[in-house]
Amino acid sequence: GGSQLAARLASTMRCSCSLLLLLGSALRASSFSVPCHAAASGRPAAATSRGTVSLADVGAASTAFYTDEVRKESYPSMADVLDAKVADPDLRRLMLTLFGTFATVSAALRAELVVKAEEQKSVFGDVQLGVDVLADQLLWDVCRSEPLIKTGSSEEAPDVREMHAGGRFCLCWDPLDGSAIVDNNWAVGTIIGIWPAATGVIGATGRDQVASMVANYGPRTTAFATLDDGVYEFTLGVGGADGWLCSRERVRISPQSRIFSPANLRTARHELPGYGELIDFWLDQRYTLRFCGGLVPDIPHHPRD
């Protein structure tokens, strides 16, 4: 019914927001805010610093995630890092399983043609691609086979399904964020929020989560995951490794940023004129646009160690 659909939509929103919560309270980055004097007037502030902003401040060198990264002599495996950084053995086991699912989805994206799914099951009227359905099915398979999972819920369906009555965790996911840009052969991703069975997903908040995981399928396959002491990035199949290596530790969003990643620009002139003014402010201040068209591939534009 309508109430169930509304609840599912709310849960889906929380799942999508989990990738933002994944990077912690540093989401109050300046790239998403307007200075007080601009907000108070209801208008963007004048671009008084145009003449003093150096090209280094707005060029790729200041906005690339890996610009300052220096190769290390060795990188720990994902399993070793989870052993050291996830105290709960059940959660650690679940996350290991989900990393395996990410690897399977990554391989499928390289092996499958991008075509319309033979059977369209979206209750929201969205056209589903075969890779959408495949990624979603793989996550439902995890829910069915893993007794630690109490409930599962997907962006592709309007309900929360009980999987194992004695399970400790509730999963909510977007199986393939960015499927609208998969035709372009651009990066897409999977978003997963993990909640304790005590809260479930309906009515819970992002802060109730026990973990969040986001996989990014591009030229490389990477994943961000929240561990006990922060956010870590893992990379699949690099450096001669068969599995995942920990490529970055304790990733955080920079408190200062010179880039912006706007979405839904069609609303900026008519439905949400304040949004249009904010975009004008970013442009007047010579912020750099970095926008991939998907939520997951835009994450690495913003973090810093």
Side-chain angles (χ1 to χ4, degrees):
S3 60
Q4 186 183 43
L5 177 59
R8 178 67 217 114
L9 288 171
S11 180
T12 299
M13 286 294 290
R14 278 190 295 276
C15 179
S16 296
C17 287
S18 72
L19 79 93
L20 301 177
L21 291 164
L22 170 108
L23 293 169
S25 61
L27 270 175
R28 294 187 294 273
S30 61
S31 55
F32 291 93
S33 63
V34 183
C36 294
H37 59 273
S41 66
R43 305 169 51 185
T48 57
S49 59
R50 263 189 201 178
T52 60
V53 176
S54 70
L55 291 179
D57 290 333
V58 296
S62 68
T63 61
F65 186 23
Y66 298 98
T67 299
D68 299 323
E69 185 70 2
V70 177
R71 185 177 182 85
K72 301 175 183 177
E73 296 209 359
S74 64
Y75 293 82
S77 71
M78 174 268 292
D80 286 345
V81 172
L82 262 59
D83 280 343
K85 301 294 184 179
V86 180
D88 185 329
D90 287 344
L91 179 59
R92 185 166 63 244
R93 183 176 111 187
L94 177 58
M95 295 178 78
L96 283 167
T97 299
L98 292 170
F99 271 110
T101 304
F102 293 158
T104 303
V105 173
S106 177
L109 284 168
R110 285 163 171 75
E112 298 288 330
L113 291 173
V114 179
V115 295
K116 184 177 179 180
E118 292 183 7
E119 187 176 359
Q120 297 290 308
K121 296 183 178 180
S122 174
V123 298
F124 303 113
D126 298 331
V127 175
Q128 291 179 301
L129 301 176
V131 288
D132 274 318
V133 175
L134 176 61
D136 195 44
Q137 189 58 53
L138 286 168
L139 287 164
W140 281 118
D141 288 346
V142 170
C143 287
R144 282 187 283 269
S145 63
E146 178 50 76
L148 288 170
I149 299 174
K150 180 177 178 62
T151 67
S153 50
S154 167
E155 186 202 29
E156 304 294 331
D159 55 348
V160 176
R161 303 176 190 175
E162 180 158 327
M163 310 308 298
H164 304 277
R168 289 190 56 203
F169 304 109
C170 299
L171 262 62
C172 183
W173 66 83
D174 182 343
L176 207 63
D177 170 68
S179 56
I181 58 173
V182 75
D183 287 353
N184 309 43
N185 203 22
W186 288 4
V188 293
T190 298
I191 306 167
I192 298 179
I194 306 173
W195 278 264
T199 68
V201 295
I202 302 299
T205 70
R207 296 187 186 282
D208 294 322
Q209 288 180 338
V210 294
S212 297
M213 303 175 71
V214 176
N216 190 13
Y217 313 115
R220 293 170 294 112
T221 296
T222 60
F224 288 110
T226 53
L227 308 187
D228 291 350
D229 65 343
V231 177
Y232 288 69
E233 182 204 57
F234 301 89
T235 302
L236 178 66
V238 292
D242 291 332
W244 297 86
L245 294 181
C246 180
S247 43
R248 292 177 82 90
E249 302 177 0
R250 304 292 300 277
V251 180
R252 298 178 61 86
I253 286 181
S254 172
Q256 300 294 326
S257 179
R258 298 293 305 176
I259 66 176
F260 68 108
S261 302
N264 297 318
L265 285 175
R266 64 182 177 274
T267 68
R269 283 291 175 263
H270 302 291
E271 293 90 344
L272 297 170
Y275 182 31
E277 291 180 356
L278 179 57
I279 292 169
D280 287 340
F281 169 80
W282 285 329
L283 293 172
D284 286 342
Q285 295 296 317
R286 300 184 69 182
Y287 280 52
T288 298
L289 173 65
R290 290 282 186 271
F291 181 57
C292 297
L295 202 57
V296 169
D298 276 331
I299 292 178
H301 291 156
H302 298 279
R304 292 291 185 273
D305 287 342

